[in-house]
Amino acid sequence: KRPVVGGFLLLRLQQQQQSSTSFPGSTSLARSRNSDSIWFAVMLFKGALSAALALAAVPTVRGDDDDAGVIRLSLSKRPNHEMVSEHLARERDALVAILEGKERETEQGKGKKVIIAEEVATQRRRRLRGEENEEEEEMISHDLEDGKDENVIIKDYANAQYYGTVHIGSPPQEFTAIWDTGSADLWMPQKGCTHCGYCNPLTKNTSLCKDKYDSSKSDDYEEDGADFEIQYGSGSVKGVFSKDTVTLAQDIAVHHQRFAEVSDAGGMGVGYVMGKFDGILGLAFDTIAIGKTTVFGGAIEQGLVKDPVFAFYLGDEGDGELTLGGYDETKFEGDDLKYVNLDKATYWQIKLDGISLGDAYSTDSTTAIVDSGTSLLTGPSAEIAKIALAVGAKPNVVGEYTVDCKDVDSIPDIHFTIDGVEYSLAGSDLVIQASNVCLFAMMGMDIPAPGPQWILGDVFMRRWYTVFDMGEERIGFAKAVKQQ
């Protein structure tokens, strides 16, 4: 007999605690060839990935009938020392690449600037529209059949910090996924996928050996066959669309759900091979889905969740939690959520009245997206440089900043005003510390207008419980309770 815990369906995953290996991120552009319309998926900066053991799940617990359709998923968090060690590795690799580039330039002796390693270039050139590349500009700015013209955010998953499980097929096959509000599709590697990890007796039970979907083992598999392709800086990720039963928390089964089976993940680079995830589960709107449908949208349509709502509670030093079909009142202070309507129902984009940092910095109204898959806070490079200067943060060659750990307590609070309400982060919230290294948790990213100018990632969501209301097209915020 399964015990009742808080009237919710609960899935627990062990927290990841393994050391990391760094790999450079890359800008990504996703598109489908399924129809005459070209659809793109968004991919924002998430840094570099680490080698670690795969997540392990404990038994699922269902609540009583009154709470049927509301589930909670525990999301494992990568510890701070991994984030900092990868920052140091990125800096080291970039310096090596620069030195190698200078050597090549000297050998050529033509006085021309040599294009150095891809990772350095992409760190400096993160944007929505390719103003420097006419072909890329044409691909990203596109007219859809219904006459709409949407900007698409470009991102990668190199520094995603939270992971959870999802099951596909009948009987269910288990996978580790990034639950990402910054994209809308579900994809997983298929059996026989190339560049999809390394499996041998030594790596069998680690994240180096990716779990792969096997359609022959699923009674609910339906062939689709439409092409799926994602183009990354280092190459493409290719596959085909299929349909199958996608199960959340083991027994909330979304039937006939369209998803992508990836046959070649080479475009994700070595970072994917070493990463702690098998694939991506997008939680944005189906208007930006390559496959034109989303898993959560399917759950809503099939009446599997209580309300068209999900919410994130991100653990600081422990596991986070994702609630589907509602929100968890025990995870935030008080009894009132402050809602703000979306500026655009594509990504979870809102308007900001302004941002301020004591008397040292302020900005006028702007736009932002709230992204569970982005670890840091990002904004225009010039604005982030002003904030970094105000707090004494120093930049490195890949556009990241560090602060002197002894000065962390003197960093002033930063305030984000949203729909007239001020949401503050303490100065210490803006630092990811391990040993004697303090990584400043803000990074410059230039996204040309009319795209969102700021990204409120995990740094923001850790302090502010966030409710994503797909039905009303709004986001709710409340101060998150501290973990015990």
Side-chain angles (χ1 to χ4, degrees):
K1 181 178 179 181
R2 293 179 176 177
V4 173
V5 178
F8 289 95
L9 178 65
L10 181 65
L11 175 66
R12 282 285 175 199
L13 305 177
Q14 295 176 351
Q15 183 181 1
Q16 303 164 17
Q17 296 291 347
Q18 306 302 315
S19 61
S20 66
T21 302
S22 150
F23 298 94
S26 63
T27 303
S28 65
L29 173 65
R31 62 171 176 165
S32 169
R33 295 178 178 174
N34 181 44
S35 66
D36 293 335
S37 295
I38 300 177
W39 294 80
F40 292 88
V42 176
M43 314 260 158
L44 283 175
F45 168 73
K46 304 191 182 188
L49 285 165
S50 58
L53 295 177
L55 302 175
V58 303
T60 301
V61 182
R62 172 173 288 286
D64 56 35
D65 292 339
D66 290 340
D67 290 307
V70 179
I71 64 175
R72 281 166 39 185
L73 303 169
S74 183
L75 304 176
S76 291
K77 175 183 179 291
R78 203 158 42 129
N80 287 349
H81 70 82
E82 291 188 3
M83 303 283 289
V84 171
S85 65
E86 289 176 355
H87 155 77
L88 295 173
R90 286 193 296 274
E91 184 176 42
R92 176 203 63 208
D93 294 344
L95 288 171
V96 170
I98 289 173
L99 291 174
E100 291 177 349
K102 287 182 177 179
E103 290 175 359
R104 292 197 299 271
E105 184 173 7
T106 301
E107 291 173 359
Q108 289 181 359
K110 296 181 180 179
K112 293 183 179 180
K113 181 179 179 181
V114 176
I115 298 177
I116 62 176
E118 175 73 19
E119 61 267 30
V120 179
T122 54
Q123 290 288 357
R124 295 180 179 275
R125 189 183 67 252
R126 302 198 177 269
R127 51 191 164 79
L128 275 178
R129 293 186 179 273
E131 296 177 354
E132 301 160 359
N133 186 312
E134 292 181 358
E135 180 180 357
E136 184 175 270
E137 171 71 15
E138 181 179 356
M139 292 176 65
I140 300 176
S141 178
H142 58 286
D143 294 324
L144 306 182
E145 287 181 343
D146 60 1
K148 295 180 180 178
D149 185 30
E150 298 293 347
N151 287 290
V152 178
I153 301 169
I154 297 170
K155 73 177 179 182
D156 66 70
Y157 295 95
N159 203 22
Q161 200 168 5
Y162 293 89
Y163 307 86
T165 58
V166 62
H167 298 82
I168 303 175
S170 178
Q173 302 170 42
E174 183 174 299
F175 304 94
T176 301
I178 298 172
W179 294 69
D180 179 30
T181 61
S183 66
D185 289 274
L186 168 63
W187 68 260
M188 288 292 162
Q190 66 178 200
K191 181 181 179 181
C193 175
T194 58
H195 306 107
C196 292
Y198 297 100
C199 294
N200 58 49
L202 294 177
T203 64
K204 183 178 180 180
N205 295 318
T206 74
S207 59
L208 288 173
C209 183
K210 303 298 181 186
D211 291 316
K212 299 176 180 68
Y213 172 76
D214 186 349
S215 61
S216 68
K217 294 183 178 180
S218 176
D219 295 335
D220 292 348
Y221 166 75
E222 301 174 45
E223 184 177 357
D224 183 306
D227 290 341
F228 174 84
E229 182 175 357
I230 301 175
Q231 185 66 39
Y232 290 91
S234 56
S236 63
V237 172
K238 299 178 181 179
V240 296
F241 282 105
S242 297
K243 292 182 180 179
D244 208 329
T245 298
V246 177
T247 306
L248 310 177
Q250 297 186 4
D251 60 356
I252 304 299
V254 184
H255 296 285
H256 313 292
Q257 176 61 46
R258 200 178 195 212
F259 72 103
E261 295 184 52
V262 169
S263 58
D264 186 347
M268 291 287 282
V270 183
Y272 171 63
V273 176
M274 303 299 291
K276 296 180 180 180
F277 66 98
D278 302 312
I280 311 297
L281 196 156
L283 291 168
F285 290 83
D286 59 11
T287 52
I288 62 167
I290 304 173
K292 302 183 180 179
T293 182
T294 68
V295 176
F296 190 64
I300 294 170
E301 291 175 1
Q302 296 176 30
L304 302 177
V305 290
K306 190 173 183 180
D307 294 307
V309 173
F310 59 91
F312 278 89
Y313 174 76
L314 299 185
D316 196 357
E317 294 299 332
D319 290 347
E321 187 174 87
L322 168 63
T323 303
L324 301 176
Y327 57 85
D328 187 347
E329 294 180 351
T330 68
K331 291 297 187 290
F332 58 88
E333 298 179 2
D335 56 4
D336 187 24
L337 285 160
K338 301 294 184 183
Y339 284 98
V340 57
N341 293 328
L342 295 182
D343 183 40
K344 288 185 178 180
T346 50
Y347 312 104
W348 292 90
Q349 180 171 320
I350 59 176
K351 292 181 179 179
L352 298 181
D353 299 340
I355 303 169
S356 62
L357 185 80
D359 297 328
Y361 174 82
S362 65
T363 185
D364 295 329
S365 60
T366 183
T367 56
I369 62 172
V370 185
D371 184 5
S372 63
T374 297
S375 297
L376 309 181
L377 297 169
T378 78
S381 296
E383 301 302 312
I384 296 297
K386 293 176 184 177
I387 295 174
L389 179 64
V391 303
K394 307 297 183 184
N396 66 9
V397 294
V398 293
E400 297 173 354
Y401 294 84
T402 57
V403 297
D404 192 322
C405 292
K406 67 180 177 59
D407 296 331
V408 170
D409 291 339
S410 64
I411 297 175
D413 295 353
I414 189 169
H415 309 285
F416 298 86
T417 304
I418 305 171
D419 198 28
V421 179
E422 194 173 81
Y423 298 90
S424 300
L425 298 178
S428 58
D429 293 332
L430 302 177
V431 174
I432 298 173
Q433 181 172 0
S435 299
N436 61 343
V437 178
C438 289
L439 176 64
F440 189 52
M442 300 187 76
M443 182 175 180
M445 183 189 299
D446 297 313
I447 303 174
Q453 298 301 289
W454 294 77
I455 302 168
L456 306 183
D458 298 340
V459 171
F460 181 87
M461 294 174 64
R462 271 195 286 272
R463 290 296 168 256
W464 296 97
Y465 186 79
T466 309
V467 177
F468 297 83
D469 189 337
M470 190 165 280
E472 297 294 331
E473 297 184 355
R474 62 182 184 172
I475 299 179
F477 300 106
K479 192 170 184 179
V481 297
K482 293 183 178 181
Q483 286 184 320
Q484 299 299 319

